[in-house]
Amino acid sequence: VQLQASGGGLVQVGGSLRLSCTASGSIDSIVSMVWYRQAPGKQRELVAIITRGGTTNSADSVKGRFTISRDNAKNTVYLQMNSLKPQDTAVYYCKAIRRWGTELEDYWGQGTLVTVSS
């Protein structure tokens, strides 16, 4: 599985961005797609997840502001980020969780930097 993330950039407080993560390769066995972020000096944290069945969940810190969605025809997962805050500044990563037999494997995309300026 290969993942290509894009959409990061510089935005002002209160603005919006949409991140994209396009999967290729052995995508039929992907069970979930996840967005993480890592701010400078902090640990990587889960932002939002969408399962193969379409169930979504997100971190409390972004609930009501961020929405994860997918376009199966494009093999792409999106993270719509609204009402951005300076504390949302981070490198955002997408991850695919793939089932291989009885095992689950993680595949990471490259990060995309989001900078929210005040």
Side-chain angles (χ1 to χ4, degrees):
V1 176
Q2 294 81 44
L3 301 174
Q4 181 68 42
S6 61
L10 175 64
V11 64
Q12 291 188 330
V13 169
S16 298
L17 280 176
R18 189 179 77 162
L19 306 183
S20 301
C21 178
T22 300
S24 60
S26 302
I27 62 173
D28 289 346
S29 52
I30 292 175
V31 297
S32 294
M33 294 288 292
V34 193
W35 282 102
Y36 285 81
R37 67 185 180 186
Q38 188 166 18
K42 294 189 176 182
Q43 290 189 333
R44 194 171 295 190
E45 63 173 351
L46 187 148
V47 176
I49 182 170
I50 185 165
T51 70
R52 187 183 185 96
T55 301
T56 63
N57 205 352
S58 58
D60 288 343
S61 58
V62 305
K63 271 187 167 63
R65 300 188 299 122
F66 291 11
T67 303
I68 189 169
S69 63
R70 67 184 182 191
D71 184 335
N72 290 334
K74 296 181 178 180
N75 300 325
T76 299
V77 171
Y78 302 100
L79 185 68
Q80 178 66 44
M81 306 185 295
N82 299 328
S83 302
L84 283 161
K85 304 175 181 180
Q87 53 263 44
D88 295 319
T89 294
V91 178
Y92 285 71
Y93 300 88
C94 61
K95 182 180 84 171
I97 302 174
R98 174 179 173 240
R99 183 175 300 282
W100 181 249
T102 59
E103 303 292 324
L104 292 176
E105 298 178 329
D106 292 344
Y107 295 83
W108 291 88
Q110 90 289 2
T112 185
L113 176 62
V114 172
T115 303
V116 184
S117 66
S118 55

